Amino acid sequence: QVQLVESGGGLVQAGGSLRLSCVASGSIFSISSMRWYRQAPGNQRELVAGISSGGSTNYADSVKGRFTISRDNAKNTVYLQMDSLKPEDTAVYYCNAVISVSRDTTRNYWGQGTQVTVSS
C-alpha cells in the first residue's frame, strides 16, 4: 500500500515563507511525476507546480518566481518552497504522485492535504 504524507503547513504572515514536504512510502517500484495542488474554499483544486522524474518543472502563473518545487528521489520526497506568500495563497495544499507499484501497475496517488494560511 502506498501513502503520501504532507507536512509543513501552517499560519504565516504575508511576505513570509513556508516549506512543504511530501513523502511517499510503501511498496514503490518507481515514481514519475510529482505535483502540488491547492484548493481554497469555494474554489476548484488547481495545479500549483509539478516536477518530472528527471527534474523538469512547471508552475502556475500565479506562483512563478515565488514558489520552487524540488524532489529527492532517494527519499521519495517532493518539496514546495513558498516565498513571498500572499493571502490569496491560503488553501489546503495536496501532494500528488504517479507511482508504479510494479512494472505493470501505475496509479495516481494523493496525500491528505496540509493547510496553509497567510494572514494580511
Side-chain angles (χ1 to χ4, degrees):
Q1 186 177 0
V2 173
Q3 285 188 321
L4 297 180
V5 178
E6 300 109 331
S7 61
L11 173 64
V12 64
Q13 288 189 331
S17 298
L18 284 173
R19 189 192 195 207
L20 305 183
S21 300
C22 172
V23 181
S25 63
S27 181
I28 296 172
F29 179 72
S30 65
I31 303 176
S32 53
S33 63
M34 302 185 84
R35 303 183 181 95
W36 287 97
Y37 287 77
R38 67 186 180 187
Q39 187 167 19
N43 291 356
Q44 290 186 334
R45 191 171 296 189
E46 63 174 356
L47 176 65
V48 176
I51 185 167
S52 70
S53 56
S56 298
T57 59
N58 61 284
Y59 297 92
D61 287 343
S62 59
V63 307
K64 280 181 182 177
R66 300 189 297 121
F67 290 11
T68 303
I69 189 171
S70 61
R71 65 191 283 173
D72 185 333
N73 291 331
K75 296 181 179 180
N76 290 338
T77 301
V78 62
Y79 305 97
L80 186 67
Q81 177 66 40
M82 304 186 294
D83 298 318
S84 302
L85 282 160
K86 304 176 181 180
E88 50 263 44
D89 293 318
T90 295
V92 178
Y93 283 70
Y94 296 91
C95 174
N96 170 270
V98 177
I99 297 175
S100 297
V101 297
S102 70
R103 292 185 185 275
D104 303 319
T105 304
T106 300
R107 294 176 183 169
N108 200 24
Y109 291 88
W110 291 89
Q112 81 287 353
T114 185
Q115 177 70 46
V116 171
T117 303
V118 184
S119 62
S120 57

